[in-house]
Amino acid sequence: MRRDAIAALLPAAYQRALHPSGVLWALLDVMEALHEAGEARLATVEDLFHPYRCPPQLVPFLARWVAVDHLGSGRDLVAHGTALAQARGTAEGLRSAVALATGLTDLVIEESADRPFHLIVRIPAGSDLIERVRHIVELDKPAATTFEMGVLP
């Protein structure tokens, strides 16, 4: 807050007593300096909630905040948290969650025609991400759905 704005909040008698060489003038200088750090932070407060502009130590908090912490705490996961929440429980949502959490895009999810509520998740052969994908599918699939893991031919 600038000195003029602070002075405007003072009673009229104090405003009339303001003089550049007076104690009150010096106190207004100190008050103005004390407000600078807080005002600078408030000017950029939206950066604290932006997944790509926030400090790195805040990303895990934001991941918990948008309920993607079970997938990891990457900035991309936080940025897509809303879309992941909307698609959760669908094959496309599961595919997106695995892709964002692991970078694996060659994922095939099949719904078994003869077994209702059963998914077959296939990843490329030789991938070292099978346990990570299994963990993500287990946490992100609908509760009553079963699944099995396999590899792509």
Side-chain angles (χ1 to χ4, degrees), residues 74-85:
R75 293 180 186 268
D76 288 338
L77 281 169
V78 173
H80 294 92
T82 304
L84 288 173

Side-chain angles (χ1 to χ4, degrees), residues 5-27:
I6 298 170
L9 298 173
L10 294 174
Y14 285 100
Q15 290 179 20
R16 287 191 300 272
L18 274 175
H19 188 270
S21 62
V23 174
L24 189 54
W25 190 270
L27 284 173

Side-chain angles (χ1 to χ4, degrees), residues 7-109:
L9 298 173
L10 294 174
Y14 285 100
Q15 290 179 20
R16 287 191 300 272
L18 274 175
H19 188 270
S21 62
V23 174
L24 189 54
W25 190 270
L27 284 173
L28 289 178
D29 281 342
V30 170
M31 289 178 73
E32 182 177 341
L34 288 172
H35 285 117
E36 284 178 9
E39 287 179 350
R41 173 51 77 192
L42 285 174
T44 60
V45 73
E46 68 275 359
D47 289 349
L48 294 174
F49 305 100
H50 193 283
Y52 298 111
R53 293 192 309 252
C54 71
Q57 62 270 24
L58 198 56
V59 176
F61 168 76
L62 292 177
R64 283 190 306 275
W65 202 23
V66 295
V68 294
D69 56 323
H70 65 285
L71 301 172
S73 62
R75 293 180 186 268
D76 288 338
L77 281 169
V78 173
H80 294 92
T82 304
L84 288 173
Q86 289 175 343
R88 192 164 186 180
T90 66
E92 188 55 41
L94 188 56
R95 190 175 293 109
S96 296
V98 169
L100 284 168
T102 65
L104 186 64
T105 56
D106 299 336
L107 177 77
V108 174
I109 300 173

